[in-house]
Amino acid sequence: MTATQWIYLAGLHSLGFAVFHMAFWRIFGWRKTLRTATVADRAIIQILNLRLIYVALGVAALCFLFADELHSTALGRAVLLGMSLFWVGRTIEQFVFLRINRPMVHALTALFVLGAVLFAVPLWMPA
């Protein structure tokens, strides 16, 4: 596979997570479950989720529209490295904050590792 193809896959990964986060209100029943949170916590959780959706969509757009630049420029390679480290960090945080032994949690952990790999592989390919 070419670096561009890896970057397109990273874009699909980001787009998938954006869609997944858009469903959080329904998946986690936030209308009901967040009622018991403080006003500040309720706002912070929802605002952070909306901003994460925005970032994931932005990263997906970068991957689809600027794949060659992401691979061949210093700035693009810095973005790829940053996103790979984002997913490495998210994987670590999974073990720190979500210690639940359920198949869905393990599947999500695998998807976080996949994100780290998808964004890192193009860095190893010649520009």
Side-chain angles (χ1 to χ4, degrees):
M1 279 181 42
T2 68
T4 298
Q5 290 169 324
W6 281 101
I7 293 169
Y8 287 158
L9 288 176
L12 285 174
H13 182 270
S14 295
L15 185 60
F17 268 99
V19 171
F20 177 54
H21 275 266
M22 287 176 192
F24 273 21
W25 283 266
R26 186 173 30 90
I27 292 170
F28 297 110
W30 276 359
R31 184 172 297 229
K32 179 181 177 187
T33 61
L34 289 180
R35 282 187 200 147
T36 59
T38 66
V39 172
D41 286 345
R42 183 170 47 249
I44 291 166
I45 288 168
Q46 293 180 88
I47 290 167
L48 286 174
N49 191 56
L50 288 168
R51 292 301 84 208
L52 191 54
I53 292 165
Y54 176 84
V55 168
L57 289 173
V59 169
L62 288 175
C63 290
F64 296 136
L65 300 174
F66 300 101
D68 291 336
E69 290 87 346
L70 285 172
H71 179 247
S72 64
T73 68
L75 178 58
R77 295 174 72 77
V79 170
L80 292 175
L81 177 61
M83 285 307 301
S84 182
L85 292 174
F86 172 91
W87 289 111
V88 168
R90 182 60 185 88
T91 302
I92 293 167
E93 292 158 356
Q94 187 81 344
F95 292 104
V96 173
F97 296 109
L98 194 61
R99 297 180 192 174
I100 300 173
N101 187 13
R102 293 200 179 131
M104 182 55 80
V105 173
H106 301 312
L108 282 171
T109 303
L111 288 172
F112 302 153
V113 171
L114 176 63
V117 170
L118 290 173
F119 282 97
V121 167
L123 294 171
W124 299 325
M125 301 175 133

